[in-house]
Amino acid sequence: MSQTGPRTSGGPSVVVGLTGGIATGKSSVATLLAARGAVVIDADVLARDVVANGAPLLAEVAQRFGNAILSEDGSLDRAALGRVVFSDPSARRDLEALIHPAVRRRAAELEAAAPSGSVVVHVIPLLVETGQADRFDLVVVVDADEASQLARVRTRDSLDEPSARARIAAQATREARLAAADVVVDNSGAPDDLEDQVDRLWQRLVTFGEAPNIRPEKPA
Ligand code: ADP
């Protein structure tokens, strides 16, 4: 993924980490950025790809968790795997130790294959939880007020209020995420307002790499 120090010529001009709590609007922002020309690399999509039917990693996952996590056609039974890791932190850690490195490798390959001078946006829901903020030129956090977030989780995922609150509580706090942000996109308002903010963000991103000798340094 992104290297520290000056970017080599030929690669992306800026590499962004995009994160935010569940249903704050990460996918919405990523879609708007992609429409403006960003190369979007979505960790959730990669996490599914690396255990697609026939992938070598799927066999490793089945070896660790048993064939009960496979469907009849040999593909991953996500619900069954979810039940195994949900209540067992050490199983969850084992699963993450298998999946996360594969996702990062694939993300790095896709980043390296991005056109010269492009704006690369990695969408990583657990960027803060997994301590990856320093890997990026810029960390963009999508934020929404608690009421909006709760309503969007409930509507999108058809959850009752306690279940929606539990999903939110399982993630980093809003404060922890905002503390890691270089740029905050406030998605508490209407979709049009979000689009205006993404337009302004996009202008910043396309000019980011134009002064190669002035590399913004993050505070230690
Ligand atoms: P995330 O990727 O962070 O989980 P999404 O982009 O999927 O979040 O947005 C969560 C849900 O909220 C989706 O159903 C989306 O259509 C809706 N949504 C996103 N932004 C807004 C907004 N500004 N106003 C109303 N609904 C929104």
Side-chain angles (χ1 to χ4, degrees):
M1 217 171 281
S2 170
Q3 308 292 315
T4 49
R7 234 165 248 314
T8 50
S9 60
S13 63
V14 58
V15 179
V16 176
L18 175 68
T19 193
I22 180 172
T24 49
K26 295 177 294 297
S27 305
S28 309
V29 170
T31 300
L32 291 167
L33 288 171
R36 285 154 180 76
V39 174
V40 172
I41 301 172
D42 187 321
D44 275 351
V45 172
L46 299 186
R48 285 192 288 275
D49 287 353
V50 296
V51 287
N53 206 349
L57 191 60
L58 181 57
E60 285 185 53
V61 172
Q63 205 170 17
R64 165 64 180 82
F65 296 99
N67 284 342
I69 59 105
L70 297 177
S71 306
E72 273 183 17
D73 66 359
S75 63
L76 182 63
D77 181 342
R78 290 181 179 280
L81 180 61
R83 285 192 293 275
V84 174
V85 299
F86 182 70
S87 53
D88 182 347
S90 85
R92 177 181 285 270
R93 278 195 297 276
D94 285 355
L95 179 64
E96 289 173 352
L98 288 167
I99 304 278
H100 287 178
V103 168
R104 289 190 192 187
R105 264 197 308 279
R106 186 72 190 121
E109 283 168 13
L110 292 172
E111 182 184 309
S116 173
S118 54
V119 172
V120 169
V121 177
H122 291 274
V123 185
I124 306 182
L126 299 182
L127 186 151
V128 171
E129 290 85 342
T130 53
Q132 295 185 64
D134 291 344
R135 299 165 74 103
F136 303 100
D137 295 319
L138 206 70
V139 172
V140 175
V141 170
V142 186
D143 183 53
D145 64 63
E146 283 162 30
S148 303
Q149 184 187 20
L150 188 64
R152 288 175 196 160
V153 178
R154 289 192 60 181
T155 307
R156 188 192 61 184
D157 299 342
S158 307
L159 293 173
D160 60 20
E161 186 171 331
S163 307
R165 284 192 186 280
R167 299 265 174 111
I168 293 170
Q171 300 191 322
T173 62
R174 193 176 171 196
E175 290 68 29
R177 222 178 270 109
L178 291 174
D182 297 303
V183 176
V184 176
V185 173
D186 179 5
N187 190 25
S188 302
D192 279 356
D193 182 32
L194 181 67
E195 192 151 358
D196 288 347
Q197 291 181 71
V198 171
D199 274 330
R200 288 197 295 276
L201 172 62
W202 180 248
Q203 286 314 313
R204 285 182 69 176
L205 294 176
V206 291
T207 53
F208 192 93
E210 287 176 3
N213 295 321
I214 309 170
R215 304 288 309 170
E217 293 295 335
K218 290 192 181 191

